[in-house]
Amino acid sequence: MTTLHENSAETVTPARVVVLGVVAFATLAVLSLVWWTFSPVLGRIYAVLRLIESASLWRFTGWGRYFTGMPAGEPFAYVSIYKSSVAFGLVTALLTALVGYFAWRKRSRHHIEALITLPRLGFGREEIGSRFMPADRVMRVPDKDQEAFQVQAGVPNTFKGVRDLLDARAVETELDAIPWHLAGALFLTIDAVAPLTDRKARDTVLKAVRAAADRHAANPLADQPVTLLPTLYGALLQAITERNGREDAPLRQVHEVLEQKEGLAAAVSALAAAALAMQRIHFPDYAWLRHVDPNLQSAITAY
């Protein structure tokens, strides 16, 4: 990759190198002179810093005993400050190298420049699927399964013919004809308008439909678990018929929608609009629909 802008590299002249070398040696000479002159005081400070740095373990080394055992006011050997620092210098160098290695490893594998670099084989379907995400989640090719869901988009609302939607037995007989994704969406929108007192039901339905949608996205012809429909139908039956702990007005509003709409998709859309007006709609709850029925998801999220 080429950078957006390039700065010309500054040339280093021999004179500058010589000046820097002289400054470095002069600095070392001054520090050595300071140590030679004030080592009785600086040695004590140095020993305290090493003890703190090593959690007092330094006192058990040879140089630790040397610095901590020196009588007060006595000068320390000139080379002591250098030789005693070798071990700490090596440990620090190793730690610095280790940190540098992990930084380089992360930079070479996870940096944006490494991720967007053109692969060796180009951006083919297999390459995209292996490096990023399954291609069928980015763009679905029309197939028989997709055509089937277009037909199911017009699933009739069988609840319209039920005389009393509080009658659990009557409602239960109408559940078998509902596709699993419509049963899940219908439960979520009903629960948003007239929340159930049992909040575990919502969590159970969300977990079930998300897992089913992931399975469908990976293989539209794959069979769903035998427990999926009983779980969704049981929760939907509870959402339509249960009155305990629920307000009458929202539940009556739900029943009016189910009694008036011709199709289940239209009922879901109307309930979603009502839930949004109550500020009870949570759009992430319906993200799983994009793998199964994107038209229904659009109808919910378009408000």
Side-chain angles (χ1 to χ4, degrees), residues 48-107:
V48 171
L49 294 177
R50 287 302 188 199
L51 290 172
I52 296 174
E53 184 180 23
S54 63
S56 75
L57 296 178
W58 188 61
R59 68 171 64 251
F60 301 106
T61 64
W63 284 112
R65 290 191 294 269
Y66 171 76
F67 274 89
T68 57
M70 181 67 67
E74 292 292 328
F76 294 88
Y78 176 76
V79 296
S80 61
I81 186 67
Y82 302 104
K83 288 185 176 181
S84 63
S85 302
V86 171
F88 283 92
L90 290 175
V91 172
T92 303
L94 291 175
L95 290 176
T96 303
L98 185 63
V99 172
Y101 167 74
F102 283 115
W104 168 83
R105 188 171 180 268
K106 185 174 183 179
R107 159 65 177 79

Side-chain angles (χ1 to χ4, degrees), residues 64-203:
R65 290 191 294 269
Y66 171 76
F67 274 89
T68 57
M70 181 67 67
E74 292 292 328
F76 294 88
Y78 176 76
V79 296
S80 61
I81 186 67
Y82 302 104
K83 288 185 176 181
S84 63
S85 302
V86 171
F88 283 92
L90 290 175
V91 172
T92 303
L94 291 175
L95 290 176
T96 303
L98 185 63
V99 172
Y101 167 74
F102 283 115
W104 168 83
R105 188 171 180 268
K106 185 174 183 179
R107 159 65 177 79
S108 61
R109 298 187 181 187
H110 303 291
H111 192 271
I112 183 64
E113 183 177 346
L115 294 178
I116 66 177
T117 302
L118 181 67
R120 181 173 57 87
L121 300 178
F123 283 110
R125 182 182 178 89
E126 296 182 358
E127 185 67 21
I128 293 175
S130 61
R131 287 171 58 103
F132 300 99
M133 63 182 296
D136 58 356
R137 294 201 179 190
V138 179
M139 181 177 63
R140 294 285 304 279
V141 179
D143 52 22
K144 294 181 179 179
D145 184 73
Q146 189 177 29
E147 295 176 359
F149 275 108
Q150 290 176 353
V151 174
Q152 290 183 356
V155 174
N157 176 18
T158 57
F159 300 113
K160 188 176 180 180
V162 178
R163 179 175 299 180
D164 184 9
L165 290 176
L166 293 176
D167 186 351
R169 291 186 178 181
V171 173
E172 188 176 11
T173 60
E174 307 296 336
L175 297 175
D176 293 339
I178 303 178
W180 68 266
H181 72 290
L182 281 174
L186 188 59
F187 168 84
L188 292 173
T189 50
I190 290 176
D191 183 65
V193 175
L196 289 166
T197 55
D198 179 16
R199 304 314 300 157
K200 293 182 180 179
R202 175 180 175 274
D203 297 336

Side-chain angles (χ1 to χ4, degrees), residues 32-53:
S32 299
L33 182 61
V34 170
W35 173 254
W36 182 278
T37 305
F38 301 102
S39 66
V41 177
L42 296 178
R44 300 293 176 187
I45 299 175
Y46 173 77
V48 171
L49 294 177
R50 287 302 188 199
L51 290 172
I52 296 174
E53 184 180 23

Side-chain angles (χ1 to χ4, degrees), residues 215-216 219-224:
R215 190 177 294 104
H216 176 84
N219 182 9
L221 302 179
D223 294 332
Q224 296 292 351

